[in-house]
Amino acid sequence: MAEPRSSSSPARAAVGEVCAWIDAQVSSLRAEDVPLVEAGGRVAAADVAAGFDLPPFDRAAVDGIAVRAEDTVGASPYSPCLLRWVAASDELPVGGAAQLNAGAPLPRGADAVIALHLVGREAGGAAAITEPVAAASGTEPRGCQVATGNTLVAAGRLLRAAELGLLASAGWERVAVVRRPLVRCVIAGAMLETARSPSRAQVYEASGPALRAVVERDGGRIVEATAVARDRASLRDALLRPGADIILVVGGTGPGADDEAAAALAEAGELVIDGVALRHADSAGLGRAGGVPVVLLPGSPAACLLAYEVLAGRAIRRLGGRNGALPFPTRTMTMARKVVSEISMAEVRPVRCATAGSVEPVPPITEIGLMALAGADGFLLIPEGSEGYRQGAAVSVYLYEGYDCAQP
Amino acid sequence: MAEPRSSSSPARAAVGEVCAWIDAQVSSLRAEDVPLVEAGGRVAAADVAAGFDLPPFDRAAVDGIAVRAEDTVGASPYSPCLLRWVAASDELPVGGAAQLNAGAPLPRGADAVIALHLVGREAGGAAAITEPVAAASGTEPRGCQVATGNTLVAAGRLLRAAELGLLASAGWERVAVVRRPLVRCVIAGAMLETARSPSRAQVYEASGPALRAVVERDGGRIVEATAVARDRASLRDALLRPGADIILVVGGTGPGADDEAAAALAEAGELVIDGVALRHADSAGLGRAGGVPVVLLPGSPAACLLAYEVLAGRAIRRLGGRNGALPFPTRTMTMARKVVSEISMAEVRPVRCATAGSVEPVPPITEIGLMALAGADGFLLIPEGSEGYRQGAAVSVYLYEGYDCAQP
């Protein structure tokens, strides 16, 4: 019969120290070229400069008629200036008016565009202008958006619709982005044993689908998620297999006799942080093996997810060139009820929206596990020096959907 | 030579009216079953109830030893209670202590779990307990997280990591989600003509990659994006082809002679809204054809994207079962400089972060096009009744990344 291993409580690293270690150890992966249509949500790996002026020629800013501004001098409602309709071509004759769509190049000689609804139509077919126009009005001069050589999109920018549209306008069909971090999940602590009763009482593996969702949200890709035997040698071998940019070990982090994740990491490479002062996830650890960062996550599904959010997600976001900070909008809200937190440990505390602008804690993770996270609208990150917040206190809330809580 | 068509300015619908029309016309698509690992970011189509208690048995909440609480009565540091190590099995004998990992089922007879670091080891191999424990401490009773039949995830909930983990814990391998809206883009107004000079002066198609990024962000999928001839018959035929849940027409919305999108929609089905009081995108329109909603977006890339965000995106989000509201967190911030807006038109005005907590307008879309959106940190949505905001005014800012601006 195995007896418990040493019960000494190791000094746990503060969350801030762990984040600083991650920031020092983990930086952007190298770049890869991808087609623009697949680049949404990726991060620009380098500045992209305009190869030509945008727009590349003087053009109409509105649907209208191209004119020579000097032809309209003196026009008034009582004495309209009459211009002759001509087909749009390379050059606009003196006294002519050529219809253009917005975006079409100005003919030579034309220097203004008058919107269609300001143009009258005379019986004889002439265009009647009732107000003089200034040169350049209704036009976009060549290069007014971006001049050749200027930056279109800066390195590190998350590519959203506007950036992609801009790059396409500037003639790019591909763009250099930071490579997506490849993530291997090694499931060591899953309680997959079949329980004795009731018959359906199997404890299902919860971390796989959950981790996939957060890894993809953070720009990573799970290339392998495999359960391995809980012994030290199996875990060590899994840590030494190449092919990933970061390895997450799930489970095997506790003080139990068969909790070998930390020992396996120490053998495979370097166990730098063994225990984090983060409630529910205090058995988490970090280090390196085979040249890549390794994060040890507790096996309990709620604890695993918390430790992912605060620790592993930061590393994955940084590998992918993103901001390491938690990817949730924050809003200052009021505590509808008090919340108590153990001093000396940081704590992720799920909350739900109460009345507009206020939040209340949901039943704790120790009581309802993942239900606490699944039923929440967001969470507090209570620092280790805080004992919690009184009712009515202003708190900074990380919101899962920033637009739900305050905008019913 | 074509003369301009009627230049009458139609009454434009207010943005609020258009949103109300969308909300009345467009609701969730039907459900489909998907594997849990592919369900991240999807929306639950129905309540999912627990098929059995979670946890399914009384279990250890911590790594520790299972005991009978009554065996520890009277324990103290001076007079520890000594328990006999036994292998974990179906039943814990009186006076026994069985080591369990967190999550493991309690043996019959055991009613408390003592964390390992609180357990001493006597020379004779007994477990020494120095403090009495209460029944149920260190345990999770069967059903404490969710009881059989109770709701795990409610219909309409966006499935994130916690929800997926919870469903997996409860034995679900698939989940019913709202079908992804299939989107057809019909590009009618693209300025794909080769310009005359300079040689590289082609105007590239910008809306394709941009729309793909926002449609995917909103949970939709572009099944077809094709350029069609600008004439009315070609557009009408494109609107009548089946296979999409919503059709976006890009371009052909202006007052020009060959702007036929609105007329084509009127022929193919119903043009309900012809013109929206939204600056830059006032030529947008909405209606129905072939039984699905149709949104007419202006061809200019920046205007197209604005109209998508305010109008089309709402419809796509609602089709996919999501909240129709703009999918950006808002934050109350201060204007670092004044911003002026035309009264009678709502306006999307891109802004960038200035000093912490304040924003300033970027150069307007009329001057720098998509550069205004690509360089922005977020935007104001200025209602049609407002003339803008003075310097120092508190404004609600939609932020592209809620966590960037205030958390450097």
Side-chain angles (χ1 to χ4, degrees):
Chain A
M1 179 62 220
E3 292 185 1
R5 74 175 183 189
S6 162
S7 60
S8 65
S9 228
R12 298 186 188 94
V15 168
E17 290 169 46
V18 181
C19 291
W21 183 81
I22 292 169
D23 292 356
Q25 291 287 316
V26 179
S27 54
S28 275
L29 297 170
R30 61 176 170 71
E32 64 179 356
D33 256 34
V34 298
L36 223 49
V37 290
E38 296 168 15
R42 305 292 295 269
V43 173
D47 287 357
V48 184
F52 51 85
D53 292 336
L54 266 186
F57 40 72
D58 297 343
R59 70 185 183 190
V62 295
D63 289 325
I65 60 166
V67 301
R68 295 170 178 258
E70 62 186 18
D71 286 349
T72 69
V73 171
S76 78
Y78 307 102
S79 168
C81 149
L82 300 182
L83 301 175
R84 182 168 36 93
W85 291 105
V86 298
S89 65
D90 281 1
E91 181 141 10
L92 183 75
V94 173
Q99 190 175 339
L100 298 183
N101 287 332
L106 290 189
R108 266 193 311 279
D111 59 1
V113 176
I114 305 174
L116 284 180
H117 70 271
L118 300 175
V119 178
R121 197 187 316 182
E122 288 294 301
I129 313 297
T130 57
E131 204 176 342
V133 292
S137 70
T139 71
E140 294 177 309
R142 170 178 173 164
C144 70
Q145 294 183 6
V146 203
T148 306
N150 282 0
T151 300
L152 290 163
V153 170
R157 181 89 181 171
L158 190 61
L159 299 177
R160 291 192 195 73
E163 288 79 8
L164 296 176
L166 185 63
L167 291 172
S169 302
W172 298 95
E173 292 175 355
R174 303 178 70 84
V175 60
V177 295
V178 178
R179 193 162 64 70
R180 289 185 75 175
L182 306 182
V183 181
R184 181 187 305 133
C185 289
V186 177
I187 317 276
M191 292 296 298
L192 288 167
E193 68 203 43
T194 302
R196 290 150 299 180
S197 68
S199 60
R200 294 193 61 192
Q202 195 174 354
V203 179
Y204 291 82
E205 179 47 59
S207 299
L211 284 179
R212 185 172 301 269
V214 280
V215 165
E216 290 189 354
R217 178 201 67 196
D218 286 337
R221 194 154 68 83
I222 292 186
V223 287
E224 193 188 340
T226 41
V228 302
R230 286 179 75 99
D231 62 279
R232 194 182 302 185
S234 302
L235 287 168
R236 184 192 58 217
D237 293 351
L239 287 170
L240 289 172
R241 254 200 340 275
D245 300 308
I246 184 169
I247 301 173
L248 310 182
V249 178
V250 180
T253 61
D258 59 348
D259 283 328
E260 298 270 28
L265 176 54
E267 284 187 17
E270 190 187 4
L271 173 67
V272 179
I273 288 157
D274 184 14
V276 179
L278 176 64
R279 191 158 187 231
H280 311 297
D282 53 307
S283 65
L286 292 96
R288 300 186 68 88
V292 304
V294 177
V295 185
L296 310 180
L297 303 168
S300 149
C304 174
L305 196 49
L306 289 189
Y308 175 90
E309 291 291 22
V310 178
L311 309 172
R314 186 180 189 93
I316 291 172
R317 291 188 293 274
R318 287 182 58 86
L319 283 170
R322 300 183 179 213
N323 187 328
L326 284 166
F328 305 103
T330 57
R331 182 174 293 146
T332 301
M333 301 179 79
T334 306
M335 289 308 301
R337 290 198 289 118
K338 77 169 177 181
V339 57
V340 175
S341 180
E342 185 185 348
I343 207 156
S344 86
M345 289 267 224
E347 180 173 358
V348 171
R349 190 64 183 264
V351 294
R352 63 182 161 224
C353 296
T355 56
S358 79
V359 288
E360 59 188 8
V362 302
I365 287 165
T366 44
E367 286 175 21
I368 61 169
L370 272 176
M371 279 293 279
L373 296 170
D377 295 312
F379 60 89
L380 311 174
L381 184 47
I382 307 176
E384 61 251 31
S386 167
E387 292 180 277
Y389 306 108
R390 61 178 172 70
Q391 184 179 350
V395 291
S396 181
V397 182
Y398 292 88
L399 288 169
Y400 293 137
E401 294 194 68
Y403 49 100
D404 258 7
C405 221
Q407 296 167 221
Chain B
M1 179 59 220
E3 292 184 2
R5 74 175 180 188
S6 162
S7 60
S8 65
S9 229
R12 298 185 189 95
V15 168
E17 290 168 46
V18 180
C19 290
W21 183 80
I22 292 170
D23 292 355
Q25 292 286 315
V26 179
S27 54
S28 275
L29 297 170
R30 62 176 169 73
E32 66 180 355
D33 255 34
V34 298
L36 223 49
V37 291
E38 294 168 16
R42 306 291 295 271
V43 173
D47 287 355
V48 183
F52 51 85
D53 291 337
L54 267 186
F57 40 70
D58 297 344
R59 70 185 183 190
V62 294
D63 290 324
I65 60 167
V67 301
R68 294 169 179 258
E70 61 186 17
D71 286 349
T72 69
V73 172
S76 78
Y78 305 101
S79 169
C81 149
L82 300 183
L83 300 175
R84 184 166 35 93
W85 291 106
V86 298
S89 65
D90 280 2
E91 180 142 11
L92 183 74
V94 173
Q99 190 174 339
L100 297 183
N101 287 333
L106 290 190
R108 266 195 310 278
D111 59 0
V113 176
I114 304 175
L116 284 181
H117 71 272
L118 300 176
V119 179
R121 196 186 318 179
E122 288 296 299
I129 313 299
T130 57
E131 205 175 342
V133 292
S137 70
T139 72
E140 294 178 309
R142 171 177 173 165
C144 70
Q145 295 183 7
V146 202
T148 305
N150 282 359
T151 300
L152 290 163
V153 171
R157 180 89 181 172
L158 190 62
L159 299 177
R160 293 192 193 74
E163 288 79 8
L164 297 175
L166 185 64
L167 291 171
S169 302
W172 298 95
E173 290 176 356
R174 303 178 69 84
V175 59
V177 295
V178 178
R179 194 161 65 69
R180 290 185 73 174
L182 305 182
V183 182
R184 181 187 304 133
C185 289
V186 177
I187 316 278
M191 293 295 297
L192 287 167
E193 69 204 44
T194 302
R196 290 149 298 182
S197 66
S199 60
R200 296 195 57 193
Q202 195 175 355
V203 179
Y204 291 83
E205 179 46 61
S207 299
L211 284 179
R212 185 172 300 269
V214 279
V215 165
E216 290 190 352
R217 178 201 67 197
D218 286 337
R221 194 154 67 83
I222 293 186
V223 287
E224 193 188 339
T226 40
V228 303
R230 287 179 75 99
D231 63 279
R232 193 182 303 184
S234 302
L235 286 169
R236 185 193 57 218
D237 293 350
L239 287 170
L240 289 172
R241 253 203 336 278
D245 300 306
I246 184 169
I247 301 173
L248 310 182
V249 178
V250 180
T253 60
D258 59 350
D259 284 327
E260 298 270 28
L265 176 55
E267 285 188 17
E270 190 188 3
L271 173 67
V272 180
I273 289 158
D274 185 15
V276 179
L278 176 64
R279 192 157 186 230
H280 311 297
D282 53 307
S283 65
L286 293 94
R288 301 185 67 88
V292 303
V294 177
V295 185
L296 309 180
L297 303 169
S300 150
C304 174
L305 196 48
L306 288 188
Y308 175 90
E309 291 291 21
V310 179
L311 309 172
R314 186 179 188 93
I316 291 172
R317 290 188 293 274
R318 286 183 59 86
L319 283 170
R322 300 182 180 215
N323 187 327
L326 284 166
F328 304 103
T330 57
R331 182 174 291 146
T332 301
M333 301 179 78
T334 306
M335 290 307 301
R337 290 197 291 117
K338 78 168 176 181
V339 58
V340 176
S341 180
E342 185 186 347
I343 207 156
S344 87
M345 287 267 223
E347 180 173 358
V348 170
R349 190 62 182 268
V351 295
R352 65 182 159 222
C353 296
T355 55
S358 79
V359 289
E360 60 188 9
V362 302
I365 287 166
T366 45
E367 286 175 21
I368 62 168
L370 271 178
M371 278 293 279
L373 296 170
D377 295 311
F379 60 89
L380 311 175
L381 183 48
I382 306 176
E384 60 252 31
S386 168
E387 293 181 276
Y389 306 107
R390 62 177 171 72
Q391 185 179 348
V395 291
S396 181
V397 182
Y398 292 88
L399 287 169
Y400 294 136
E401 294 194 68
Y403 49 99
D404 260 7
C405 222
Q407 298 169 221

